[in-house]
Amino acid sequence: MAQLSVQHVDKIYDNNVQAVFDFNLDVKDGELIVLVGPSGCGKSTTLRMIAGLEDISAGHLFLDGKEITQTPAKDRDMAMVFQNYALYGHMTIYENMAFSLTLRKENPNVIHKKVLAAAEILGLTSQLNKKPSQLSGGQRQRVAMGRSIVRNPKVFLFDEPLSNLDAKLRGATRREILLLHKRLQATMLYVTHDQTEALTLADRIVCMSMGHVQQVGTPLELYDSPANRFVASFIGLPPMNFFDATVREGELEGRGFRVKLSEEEKGILLPYAGKEIELGVRPEDVQGGGDIALNVFSNENLGMNTLVHGHIGDGELANRISAKLRGWYDYKEGDRVSVEFSRKHFFDKETGVAIGREVKA
Ligand code: ADP
């Protein structure tokens, strides 16, 4: 069992930089939480405070109901996997994986069993006598995970563990981490700047910007119902299109488009009648067949989809737009494609908060 509760945690570094503001999170037993956000938003700082590698400036941390705010890192029963693996080059894979247990002077038979079991889970059984330099990047990453597994910690912490791997290996290792999570049923916190990793790995995502939590929710909640413009722009690839739009009677009007609103949308936008809002439309929600004229700038074939970049509206006031059309097209610069918006998101222009959505963050 491992439940982690982070309550009102702040981090102010010695140089008076506040890196984290009022971070709150209850991690359930066996949950895989991904902290995601752009570089510098405070993800690593948060993880390091949880690990005990960084002091907490304010707030409280509880593990299984016991306060650990001041507990030294080595007594927190957590294991951290870093991006640079930090393996010992002169030791074999076996010795690397056994290292922390050897330090703790565990019984050699117990150590042996634990290392073999971890190697089995990670597919490293045939590599145990090799040195780290003889392994691929992906295998080394697995050894780093193996070192954590043998310790059987209450919580696994991952700090950008895949960022040194190439794209293909990242995908494969991501799937391994998922499998590992299923097998161990362990509580895990995982930090990444990569929204794809967040969407594919997380039970729940914590999306951060400039030290503040923007939204906590399942991948689908963040994708389908972003709390604000920041989350909407950060989650999803290619990123969401944003357009200024004025709320008219039954319609939304902007440069290059005039779209009808459903009854539900009309209700949501009632308080904004006559005002300007920001309309968000994901590229995959721009589809062929409507009465919006998209002027093509470039065309990228992705296989099942074609990514079309261009603009709607004319002249200097045109809106840039990306559309991910289902199917294979070979549009040329200057072509006109008729499109429509199949799903819309609305944001308050001043606050960026999503309109018509209960904010759960
Ligand atoms: P992320 O992991 O999201 O990239 P970090 O947690 O590493 O972000 O950093 C958050 C902010 O804290 C950044 O502005 C960074 O410059 C600052 N910061 C990180 N570590 C230190 C430190 N040791 N001393 C002072 N400021 C730091």
Side-chain angles (χ1 to χ4, degrees):
M1 251 248 317
Q3 286 167 331
L4 184 71
S5 181
V6 188
Q7 297 181 7
H8 302 295
V9 163
D10 289 340
K11 177 65 187 183
I12 303 165
Y13 280 109
D14 292 341
N15 56 1
N16 271 336
V17 170
Q18 181 151 4
V20 177
F21 299 79
D22 196 28
F23 188 101
N24 290 285
L25 182 69
D26 279 309
V27 186
K28 297 181 205 116
D29 182 40
E31 201 174 18
L32 200 173
I33 295 279
V34 177
L35 303 185
V36 73
S39 177
C41 74
K43 313 177 290 287
S44 294
T45 301
T46 304
L47 197 75
R48 292 169 61 80
M49 284 193 287
I50 292 170
L53 301 173
E54 203 67 73
D55 287 339
I56 292 175
S57 309
H60 302 273
L61 204 58
F62 297 88
L63 184 60
D64 290 336
K66 186 174 150 260
E67 176 144 23
I68 56 162
T69 314
Q70 307 291 344
T71 307
K74 64 179 177 42
D75 300 327
R76 287 195 184 189
D77 213 355
M78 300 184 185
M80 185 114 153
V81 181
F82 296 94
Q83 61 170 269
N84 56 6
Y85 325 136
L87 301 181
Y88 298 107
H90 63 286
M91 293 184 189
T92 63
I93 300 311
Y94 184 102
E95 288 163 343
N96 264 286
M97 282 170 62
F99 187 67
S100 66
L101 303 180
T102 315
L103 268 190
R104 280 200 229 155
K105 303 207 172 17
E106 280 224 33
N107 177 321
N109 288 331
V110 175
I111 295 180
H112 191 63
K113 263 197 200 147
K114 286 185 176 172
V115 171
L116 289 191
E120 169 76 32
I121 289 176
L122 294 164
L124 290 169
T125 310
S126 59
Q127 314 293 328
L128 288 172
N129 293 324
K130 293 189 181 163
K131 296 273 174 67
S133 59
Q134 295 170 277
L135 265 50
S136 68
Q139 287 171 322
R140 272 183 247 171
Q141 186 57 63
R142 272 186 268 158
V143 178
M145 287 191 249
R147 282 201 310 198
S148 307
I149 294 172
V150 295
R151 290 172 48 194
N152 192 26
K154 285 197 164 179
V155 182
F156 286 84
L157 306 172
F158 295 90
D159 193 358
E160 303 255 6
L162 308 186
S163 53
N164 285 347
L165 306 179
D166 65 42
K168 206 168 175 182
L169 209 52
R170 266 209 303 274
T173 312
R174 208 165 65 205
R175 287 186 285 281
E176 278 171 17
I177 292 176
L178 261 185
L179 275 177
L180 190 70
H181 177 241
K182 283 215 175 80
R183 278 187 82 156
L184 300 174
Q185 308 249 310
T187 307
M188 296 181 168
L189 263 81
Y190 186 107
V191 159
T192 179
H193 63 274
D194 180 342
Q195 62 90 40
T196 308
E197 268 175 46
L199 285 176
T200 51
L201 279 173
D203 291 320
R204 281 192 302 155
I205 295 173
V206 178
C207 185
M208 296 179 74
S209 167
M210 298 197 290
H212 295 269
V213 172
Q214 303 294 316
Q215 189 172 6
V216 181
T218 64
L220 183 61
E221 279 167 351
L222 269 75
Y223 174 81
D224 206 40
S225 190
N228 57 41
R229 194 189 187 286
F230 176 82
V231 178
S233 65
F234 193 78
I235 300 287
L237 200 70
M240 190 181 274
N241 299 294
F242 293 98
F243 311 114
D244 289 338
T246 308
V247 182
R248 305 266 181 233
E249 201 154 319
E251 282 182 341
L252 208 50
E253 191 186 356
R255 297 192 301 273
F257 65 91
R258 182 194 282 265
V259 291
K260 285 226 163 353
L261 295 169
S262 70
E263 286 307 314
E264 192 193 349
E265 290 168 342
K266 277 187 218 167
I268 291 172
L269 291 175
L270 208 55
Y272 289 82
K275 296 196 184 125
E276 207 167 66
I277 62 157
E278 207 162 7
L279 168 65
V281 185
R282 294 202 182 279
E284 52 272 37
D285 293 329
V286 181
Q287 289 300 322
D291 57 6
I292 301 166
L294 189 166
N295 300 286
V296 177
F297 177 65
S298 69
N299 184 93
E300 296 170 45
N301 295 109
L302 305 175
M304 261 177 71
N305 301 295
T306 305
L307 192 56
V308 178
H309 301 286
H311 63 267
I312 54 177
D314 295 310
E316 282 183 14
L317 293 178
N319 273 312
R320 291 176 154 275
I321 185 169
S322 299
K324 195 174 180 182
L325 305 176
R326 275 182 287 279
W328 186 289
Y329 299 95
D330 290 303
Y331 293 119
K332 302 277 172 293
E333 185 177 352
D335 282 353
R336 277 182 159 236
V337 187
S338 296
V339 295
E340 62 185 354
F341 302 152
S342 58
R343 169 136 173 67
K344 308 179 206 66
H345 301 264
F346 310 122
F347 303 96
D348 187 290
K349 245 188 106 59
E350 267 158 44
T351 63
V353 172
I355 300 169
R357 182 192 170 286
E358 267 183 69
V359 180
K360 289 184 205 149

